[in-house]
Amino acid sequence: MRHLLALVLKYLLTATVMFAILPLFLRISSAEILWFSLWLTLVAYALGDLYVLRRLGNVSATIADFGLVFVAVWIGIGAFYDIAGAAILSAAFFSALLTAFGELLFHAYVLRFVTVEHGEKDAPLIGRQWQTEAAEEFDVRAARPDGNDRERAEQEDEQHHQEPPHPPIL
């Protein structure tokens, strides 16, 4: 059920982008856009979201989706229409770019709700390899071996921690 909802969301994203971009550059019917979006959704979900995203992460999957949409529009639609190169390349580029922006958010959804391992409720949006270490800070002045520096640092701290004088009441 999780994959079905993800497929529907991806289809809506893909069809919306194709309806927004392709008619600007090409004379293409609504039925052709819907069929092309369905085909592209199935291929992109299988390759980009289930394979590349799980192994390489969000950025790599977004780049792969950009390339797939660009090639699919350029070759897939360009093969059926005898159009000048600039129009089909522009349509391919802008549809791939807009799809890539949507895919960044969609991949976060897929990582959070679709590919969650069993028993792991809060899957991180980024992998564990990006976690950093945390440590307590310490006062560098107090760590010096010379005792005079430590006393001077303590006196400075006492001076800084005194309350400021109260303003006169008028």
Side-chain angles (χ1 to χ4, degrees):
M1 196 63 171
R2 294 179 303 185
H3 291 287
L4 183 63
L5 180 60
L7 276 168
V8 168
L9 289 174
K10 187 167 182 83
Y11 178 72
L12 289 174
L13 170 73
T14 305
T16 303
V17 168
M18 295 303 151
F19 270 110
I21 299 296
L22 292 181
L24 296 175
F25 298 98
L26 310 169
R27 297 185 129 209
I28 187 168
S29 70
S30 297
E32 291 171 332
I33 291 176
L34 290 174
W35 279 111
F36 180 73
S37 297
L38 180 65
W39 172 82
L40 186 60
T41 298
L42 295 174
V43 172
Y45 186 73
L47 291 177
D49 300 331
L50 296 180
Y51 185 75
V52 176
L53 180 63
R54 295 178 100 186
R55 286 164 179 75
L56 300 176
N58 193 355
V59 175
S60 298
T62 302
I63 292 170
D65 283 332
F66 177 87
L68 178 69
V69 171
F70 182 82
V71 170
V73 172
W74 180 35
I75 295 176
I77 292 180
F80 294 107
Y81 294 95
D82 189 24
I83 300 172
I88 194 70
L89 285 176
S90 297
F93 176 75
F94 288 117
S95 61
L97 187 66
L98 199 58
T99 301
F101 285 132
E103 289 289 331
L104 283 171
L105 298 174
F106 180 73
H107 290 158
Y109 169 79
V110 169
L111 285 174
R112 177 69 79 180
F113 297 109
V114 177
T115 60
V116 175
E117 299 296 326
H118 296 290
E120 191 176 332
K121 292 192 183 228
D122 293 325
L125 290 179
I126 58 175
R128 289 188 174 91
Q129 73 270 15
W130 298 108
Q131 291 181 347
T132 59
E133 292 185 21
E136 293 183 22
E137 295 181 13
F138 60 93
D139 187 12
V140 178
R141 295 176 294 178
R144 292 183 184 163
D146 185 16
N148 294 336
D149 289 338
R150 177 177 288 173
E151 292 172 6
R152 191 176 20 210
E154 289 173 0
Q155 289 174 358
E156 288 176 6
D157 286 341
E158 288 175 9
Q159 291 173 357
H160 287 99
H161 292 297
Q162 292 177 356
E163 290 186 26
H166 297 292
I169 300 175
L170 298 176

